[in-house]
Amino acid sequence: MAGGTCRKGSGRAEMRVVLDGRIVIPRMTGAGRYVVELAQRLPSLGEDVVVEVLLLAAMRATAIPRMLSDSGVRVHYVDVRVASLLQWLVIPRVLQRLKPDLYHYPFLNLPFVGVPSVVTIYDLNPILHAEYFAVFAGPKRALTRRLMGSTLRRCRTALAISHATRKL
């Protein structure tokens, strides 16, 4: 696989994929289910695919880490929320340490990570609906629109899981 690292002694390229699962919460949502299902299925693509998932530390007490580990996924805990300002500092450092060939981010505001990235855009509610933000809705929607534009320019691929989102 292009860009992969060679596994010791195998002579085969290993593709390291990091899925950002910080969107997964104990009360499973559609977006969380998407990340968990993707993480569980990716290792079946071949033994040369190494899948690692970032979860919030609060997820340790749930069945999710065990489900992922049972599927051959490595779990790492990062205690910084998706879409937070702090993630712009923390996530690039985490990825420097993990050295993935590909990073999957599940939201509109991809941090500057220096790694080929795929983003999944579930919906455009933060941009389309003023009521999405309770306070400072106008400036927050404008910032979100700019961040999403930056995300789309920097990622290798953007996945839209709804036809309505894809059309926009």
Side-chain angles (χ1 to χ4, degrees):
M1 292 184 181
T5 55
C6 193
R7 197 180 325 159
K8 272 196 241 178
S10 72
R12 292 178 55 176
E14 180 179 85
M15 175 62 93
R16 296 175 56 92
V17 179
V18 172
L19 299 176
D20 197 322
R22 294 175 297 131
I23 202 165
V24 177
I25 58 175
R27 182 187 53 77
M28 191 62 77
T29 63
R33 185 170 290 109
Y34 169 82
V35 172
V36 169
E37 294 284 335
L38 183 61
Q40 288 180 300
R41 285 174 171 66
L42 280 175
S44 68
L45 292 176
E47 62 184 42
D48 56 338
V49 177
V50 174
V51 179
E52 301 180 84
V53 174
L54 306 179
L55 293 176
L56 291 172
M59 295 303 295
R60 285 181 188 194
T62 71
I64 302 283
R66 175 72 183 246
M67 281 185 349
L68 293 172
S69 294
D70 289 348
S71 297
V73 174
R74 297 176 189 162
V75 176
H76 304 276
Y77 297 97
V78 179
D79 215 11
V80 59
R81 296 200 172 279
V82 166
S84 69
L85 290 176
L86 189 56
Q87 79 168 354
W88 290 76
L89 297 173
V90 173
I91 296 304
R93 289 186 182 135
V94 169
L95 294 177
Q96 280 180 332
R97 181 174 48 84
L98 296 177
K99 299 182 182 352
D101 297 299
L102 184 68
Y103 172 60
H104 176 270
Y105 184 70
F107 205 63
L108 303 171
N109 64 339
L110 174 69
F112 290 98
V113 293
V115 175
S117 302
V118 172
V119 297
T120 297
I121 299 173
Y122 300 97
D123 60 51
L124 298 174
N125 288 339
I127 293 170
L128 299 177
H129 303 291
E131 65 276 7
Y132 187 86
F133 297 109
V135 181
F136 301 115
K140 286 182 180 178
R141 282 175 60 208
L143 177 60
T144 300
R145 188 179 305 268
R146 286 182 189 264
L147 286 171
M148 185 174 143
S150 172
T151 292
L152 293 173
R153 284 188 298 278
R154 291 181 289 114
C155 71
R156 288 273 172 101
T157 300
L159 307 172
I161 64 169
S162 79
H163 182 66
T165 299
R166 189 174 307 120
K167 284 186 347 185
L168 295 172

Short mmCIF file of all heavy atoms in Angstrom, two decimals, residues 59-97:
data_model
loop_
_atom_site.label_atom_id
_atom_site.label_comp_id
_atom_site.label_asym_id
_atom_site.label_seq_id
_atom_site.Cartn_x
_atom_site.Cartn_y
_atom_site.Cartn_z
N MET A 59 -15.07 6.86 28.07
CA MET A 59 -15.56 5.63 27.41
C MET A 59 -14.95 4.36 27.99
O MET A 59 -15.41 3.27 27.68
CB MET A 59 -15.30 5.70 25.90
CG MET A 59 -16.08 6.80 25.19
SD MET A 59 -17.87 6.66 25.44
CE MET A 59 -18.18 5.13 24.61
N ARG A 60 -13.94 4.49 28.84
CA ARG A 60 -13.29 3.30 29.43
C ARG A 60 -14.29 2.42 30.18
O ARG A 60 -14.15 1.21 30.20
CB ARG A 60 -12.19 3.71 30.40
CG ARG A 60 -10.98 4.19 29.71
CD ARG A 60 -9.90 4.56 30.68
NE ARG A 60 -8.86 5.20 29.88
CZ ARG A 60 -7.65 5.43 30.29
NH1 ARG A 60 -7.29 5.09 31.49
NH2 ARG A 60 -6.79 6.01 29.50
N ALA A 61 -15.28 3.04 30.79
CA ALA A 61 -16.24 2.32 31.62
C ALA A 61 -17.36 1.67 30.80
O ALA A 61 -18.28 1.10 31.37
CB ALA A 61 -16.84 3.26 32.66
N THR A 62 -17.30 1.74 29.49
CA THR A 62 -18.35 1.19 28.63
C THR A 62 -17.85 -0.09 27.96
O THR A 62 -16.67 -0.45 28.06
CB THR A 62 -18.78 2.19 27.55
OG1 THR A 62 -17.72 2.32 26.58
CG2 THR A 62 -19.13 3.55 28.15
N ALA A 63 -18.73 -0.74 27.23
CA ALA A 63 -18.37 -1.96 26.49
C ALA A 63 -17.67 -1.66 25.17
O ALA A 63 -17.11 -2.57 24.54
CB ALA A 63 -19.63 -2.78 26.24
N ILE A 64 -17.67 -0.41 24.75
CA ILE A 64 -17.12 -0.05 23.43
C ILE A 64 -15.64 -0.42 23.28
O ILE A 64 -15.27 -1.05 22.29
CB ILE A 64 -17.33 1.46 23.13
CG1 ILE A 64 -18.82 1.82 23.20
CG2 ILE A 64 -16.69 1.85 21.82
CD1 ILE A 64 -19.65 1.42 22.04
N PRO A 65 -14.75 -0.06 24.21
CA PRO A 65 -13.34 -0.42 24.03
C PRO A 65 -13.12 -1.93 23.87
O PRO A 65 -12.33 -2.36 23.03
CB PRO A 65 -12.65 0.11 25.29
CG PRO A 65 -13.55 1.20 25.77
CD PRO A 65 -14.95 0.76 25.42
N ARG A 66 -13.85 -2.69 24.63
CA ARG A 66 -13.72 -4.17 24.54
C ARG A 66 -14.20 -4.67 23.18
O ARG A 66 -13.57 -5.52 22.56
CB ARG A 66 -14.51 -4.81 25.67
CG ARG A 66 -14.58 -6.31 25.66
CD ARG A 66 -13.24 -6.92 26.04
NE ARG A 66 -13.29 -8.35 25.98
CZ ARG A 66 -13.18 -9.14 27.01
NH1 ARG A 66 -13.01 -8.63 28.22
NH2 ARG A 66 -13.20 -10.43 26.85
N MET A 67 -15.35 -4.13 22.70
CA MET A 67 -15.86 -4.51 21.37
C MET A 67 -14.82 -4.21 20.30
O MET A 67 -14.60 -5.03 19.40
CB MET A 67 -17.15 -3.75 21.04
CG MET A 67 -18.38 -4.28 21.69
SD MET A 67 -19.93 -3.45 21.18
CE MET A 67 -19.45 -2.03 20.28
N LEU A 68 -14.22 -3.05 20.40
CA LEU A 68 -13.22 -2.66 19.40
C LEU A 68 -11.98 -3.55 19.49
O LEU A 68 -11.47 -4.03 18.47
CB LEU A 68 -12.85 -1.19 19.56
CG LEU A 68 -13.98 -0.19 19.25
CD1 LEU A 68 -13.56 1.22 19.63
CD2 LEU A 68 -14.39 -0.27 17.80
N SER A 69 -11.50 -3.78 20.69
CA SER A 69 -10.32 -4.64 20.88
C SER A 69 -10.58 -6.05 20.37
O SER A 69 -9.70 -6.66 19.75
CB SER A 69 -9.93 -4.70 22.36
OG SER A 69 -9.48 -3.43 22.78
N ASP A 70 -11.78 -6.56 20.61
CA ASP A 70 -12.14 -7.89 20.12
C ASP A 70 -12.13 -7.97 18.59
O ASP A 70 -12.00 -9.04 18.02
CB ASP A 70 -13.51 -8.32 20.65
CG ASP A 70 -13.49 -8.64 22.14
OD1 ASP A 70 -12.38 -8.75 22.72
OD2 ASP A 70 -14.58 -8.77 22.73
N SER A 71 -12.28 -6.82 17.94
CA SER A 71 -12.26 -6.76 16.48
C SER A 71 -10.85 -6.51 15.93
O SER A 71 -10.67 -6.34 14.73
CB SER A 71 -13.18 -5.64 15.99
OG SER A 71 -14.51 -5.91 16.34
N GLY A 72 -9.87 -6.44 16.83
CA GLY A 72 -8.50 -6.23 16.40
C GLY A 72 -8.10 -4.77 16.32
O GLY A 72 -7.08 -4.42 15.72
N VAL A 73 -8.87 -3.89 16.95
CA VAL A 73 -8.62 -2.45 16.91
C VAL A 73 -7.85 -2.04 18.17
O VAL A 73 -8.16 -2.50 19.27
CB VAL A 73 -9.96 -1.68 16.82
CG1 VAL A 73 -9.74 -0.19 16.93
CG2 VAL A 73 -10.69 -2.05 15.54
N ARG A 74 -6.87 -1.19 18.00
CA ARG A 74 -6.14 -0.63 19.14
C ARG A 74 -6.86 0.64 19.59
O ARG A 74 -7.19 1.49 18.77
CB ARG A 74 -4.71 -0.28 18.74
CG ARG A 74 -3.90 -1.49 18.33
CD ARG A 74 -2.53 -1.07 17.86
NE ARG A 74 -1.85 -2.21 17.28
CZ ARG A 74 -0.80 -2.11 16.49
NH1 ARG A 74 -0.29 -0.92 16.19
NH2 ARG A 74 -0.23 -3.18 15.99
N VAL A 75 -7.07 0.76 20.88
CA VAL A 75 -7.80 1.91 21.43
C VAL A 75 -6.83 2.82 22.19
O VAL A 75 -6.01 2.35 22.97
CB VAL A 75 -8.93 1.44 22.37
CG1 VAL A 75 -9.63 2.61 23.02
CG2 VAL A 75 -9.92 0.57 21.60
N HIS A 76 -6.95 4.12 21.94
CA HIS A 76 -6.17 5.14 22.64
C HIS A 76 -7.16 6.14 23.22
O HIS A 76 -8.16 6.46 22.60
CB HIS A 76 -5.22 5.86 21.69
CG HIS A 76 -4.31 4.95 20.95
ND1 HIS A 76 -3.12 4.48 21.48
CD2 HIS A 76 -4.43 4.39 19.73
CE1 HIS A 76 -2.54 3.69 20.60
NE2 HIS A 76 -3.31 3.62 19.52
N TYR A 77 -6.84 6.65 24.41
CA TYR A 77 -7.73 7.61 25.06
C TYR A 77 -7.16 9.02 24.98
O TYR A 77 -5.98 9.24 25.26
CB TYR A 77 -7.97 7.20 26.51
CG TYR A 77 -8.66 5.87 26.59
CD1 TYR A 77 -7.94 4.70 26.80
CD2 TYR A 77 -10.04 5.78 26.40
CE1 TYR A 77 -8.57 3.47 26.83
CE2 TYR A 77 -10.68 4.55 26.43
CZ TYR A 77 -9.94 3.40 26.65
OH TYR A 77 -10.57 2.18 26.66
N VAL A 78 -8.01 9.93 24.56
CA VAL A 78 -7.64 11.33 24.43
C VAL A 78 -8.75 12.12 25.12
O VAL A 78 -9.91 12.01 24.73
CB VAL A 78 -7.54 11.75 22.94
CG1 VAL A 78 -7.19 13.22 22.82
CG2 VAL A 78 -6.55 10.88 22.21
N ASP A 79 -8.38 12.88 26.13
CA ASP A 79 -9.41 13.58 26.89
C ASP A 79 -9.60 15.01 26.41
O ASP A 79 -9.39 15.97 27.16
CB ASP A 79 -9.08 13.54 28.38
CG ASP A 79 -10.33 13.44 29.23
OD1 ASP A 79 -11.42 13.21 28.68
OD2 ASP A 79 -10.22 13.61 30.46
N VAL A 80 -9.96 15.14 25.15
CA VAL A 80 -10.27 16.45 24.58
C VAL A 80 -11.42 16.23 23.59
O VAL A 80 -11.40 15.31 22.78
CB VAL A 80 -9.03 17.10 23.91
CG1 VAL A 80 -8.47 16.25 22.81
CG2 VAL A 80 -9.34 18.49 23.42
N ARG A 81 -12.44 17.03 23.72
CA ARG A 81 -13.66 16.84 22.92
C ARG A 81 -13.49 17.24 21.45
O ARG A 81 -12.71 18.13 21.13
CB ARG A 81 -14.80 17.64 23.51
CG ARG A 81 -15.20 17.15 24.90
CD ARG A 81 -16.59 17.60 25.26
NE ARG A 81 -17.01 16.96 26.49
CZ ARG A 81 -17.49 15.72 26.58
NH1 ARG A 81 -17.61 14.99 25.52
NH2 ARG A 81 -17.85 15.23 27.74
N VAL A 82 -14.26 16.58 20.60
CA VAL A 82 -14.35 16.95 19.18
C VAL A 82 -14.90 18.37 19.12
O VAL A 82 -15.76 18.75 19.91
CB VAL A 82 -15.29 15.99 18.42
CG1 VAL A 82 -15.67 16.54 17.07
CG2 VAL A 82 -14.65 14.63 18.27
N ALA A 83 -14.39 19.14 18.19
CA ALA A 83 -14.84 20.52 17.93
C ALA A 83 -14.43 21.51 19.02
O ALA A 83 -14.89 22.64 19.02
CB ALA A 83 -16.35 20.59 17.70
N SER A 84 -13.55 21.10 19.92
CA SER A 84 -13.07 22.03 20.94
C SER A 84 -11.83 22.76 20.44
O SER A 84 -11.15 22.30 19.52
CB SER A 84 -12.73 21.27 22.23
OG SER A 84 -11.57 20.46 22.02
N LEU A 85 -11.52 23.88 21.06
CA LEU A 85 -10.31 24.61 20.69
C LEU A 85 -9.06 23.81 21.06
O LEU A 85 -8.07 23.81 20.33
CB LEU A 85 -10.28 25.97 21.38
CG LEU A 85 -11.29 27.00 20.89
CD1 LEU A 85 -11.23 28.26 21.74
CD2 LEU A 85 -11.05 27.32 19.42
N LEU A 86 -9.12 23.13 22.19
CA LEU A 86 -7.96 22.38 22.67
C LEU A 86 -7.54 21.27 21.69
O LEU A 86 -6.36 20.94 21.60
CB LEU A 86 -8.26 21.79 24.05
CG LEU A 86 -7.11 21.14 24.79
CD1 LEU A 86 -5.95 22.12 24.95
CD2 LEU A 86 -7.57 20.65 26.14
N GLN A 87 -8.49 20.72 20.94
CA GLN A 87 -8.13 19.63 20.02
C GLN A 87 -7.12 20.10 18.97
O GLN A 87 -6.36 19.30 18.44
CB GLN A 87 -9.37 19.06 19.35
CG GLN A 87 -9.89 19.87 18.20
CD GLN A 87 -10.92 19.14 17.38
OE1 GLN A 87 -11.20 17.96 17.58
NE2 GLN A 87 -11.48 19.84 16.42
N TRP A 88 -7.12 21.39 18.65
CA TRP A 88 -6.20 21.90 17.64
C TRP A 88 -4.74 21.79 18.08
O TRP A 88 -3.84 21.77 17.26
CB TRP A 88 -6.55 23.36 17.29
CG TRP A 88 -7.84 23.42 16.54
CD1 TRP A 88 -9.10 23.28 17.05
CD2 TRP A 88 -8.02 23.60 15.14
NE1 TRP A 88 -10.04 23.37 16.04
CE2 TRP A 88 -9.40 23.58 14.85
CE3 TRP A 88 -7.13 23.80 14.08
CZ2 TRP A 88 -9.91 23.72 13.58
CZ3 TRP A 88 -7.65 23.96 12.81
CH2 TRP A 88 -9.02 23.91 12.57
N LEU A 89 -4.52 21.71 19.40
CA LEU A 89 -3.17 21.49 19.94
C LEU A 89 -2.90 20.03 20.22
O LEU A 89 -1.80 19.53 19.95
CB LEU A 89 -3.01 22.29 21.25
CG LEU A 89 -3.10 23.80 21.14
CD1 LEU A 89 -3.10 24.42 22.53
CD2 LEU A 89 -1.98 24.35 20.29
N VAL A 90 -3.88 19.33 20.77
CA VAL A 90 -3.68 17.96 21.24
C VAL A 90 -3.65 16.93 20.11
O VAL A 90 -2.76 16.08 20.06
CB VAL A 90 -4.76 17.59 22.28
CG1 VAL A 90 -4.69 16.12 22.66
CG2 VAL A 90 -4.64 18.48 23.51
N ILE A 91 -4.60 16.99 19.20
CA ILE A 91 -4.72 15.94 18.17
C ILE A 91 -3.49 15.88 17.26
O ILE A 91 -3.00 14.78 16.98
CB ILE A 91 -6.04 16.08 17.39
CG1 ILE A 91 -7.23 15.85 18.33
CG2 ILE A 91 -6.09 15.13 16.21
CD1 ILE A 91 -7.22 14.51 19.07
N PRO A 92 -2.93 17.00 16.78
CA PRO A 92 -1.71 16.88 15.98
C PRO A 92 -0.57 16.16 16.72
O PRO A 92 0.16 15.36 16.13
CB PRO A 92 -1.34 18.34 15.66
CG PRO A 92 -2.65 19.05 15.69
CD PRO A 92 -3.43 18.38 16.81
N ARG A 93 -0.44 16.41 18.03
CA ARG A 93 0.60 15.74 18.82
C ARG A 93 0.33 14.25 18.97
O ARG A 93 1.24 13.43 18.89
CB ARG A 93 0.72 16.39 20.19
CG ARG A 93 1.33 17.76 20.12
CD ARG A 93 1.56 18.32 21.50
NE ARG A 93 2.11 19.66 21.40
CZ ARG A 93 1.69 20.67 22.11
NH1 ARG A 93 0.74 20.52 23.00
NH2 ARG A 93 2.25 21.86 21.95
N VAL A 94 -0.93 13.90 19.17
CA VAL A 94 -1.30 12.48 19.27
C VAL A 94 -0.97 11.78 17.96
O VAL A 94 -0.40 10.68 17.96
CB VAL A 94 -2.80 12.32 19.62
CG1 VAL A 94 -3.26 10.88 19.46
CG2 VAL A 94 -3.08 12.82 21.03
N LEU A 95 -1.30 12.40 16.85
CA LEU A 95 -1.04 11.78 15.55
C LEU A 95 0.46 11.71 15.25
O LEU A 95 0.91 10.75 14.62
CB LEU A 95 -1.79 12.52 14.45
CG LEU A 95 -3.31 12.42 14.54
CD1 LEU A 95 -3.98 13.23 13.45
CD2 LEU A 95 -3.79 10.98 14.52
N GLN A 96 1.24 12.67 15.71
CA GLN A 96 2.70 12.58 15.56
C GLN A 96 3.23 11.36 16.27
O GLN A 96 4.13 10.69 15.79
CB GLN A 96 3.39 13.83 16.10
CG GLN A 96 3.36 15.01 15.16
CD GLN A 96 4.06 16.22 15.76
OE1 GLN A 96 4.11 16.39 16.98
NE2 GLN A 96 4.58 17.06 14.90
N ARG A 97 2.67 11.08 17.43
CA ARG A 97 3.10 9.92 18.21
C ARG A 97 2.66 8.61 17.56
O ARG A 97 3.43 7.65 17.49
CB ARG A 97 2.53 10.01 19.64
CG ARG A 97 2.95 8.87 20.54
CD ARG A 97 2.48 9.06 21.98
NE ARG A 97 1.10 9.44 22.13
CZ ARG A 97 0.07 8.57 22.16
NH1 ARG A 97 0.27 7.30 22.02
NH2 ARG A 97 -1.17 9.02 22.33
#
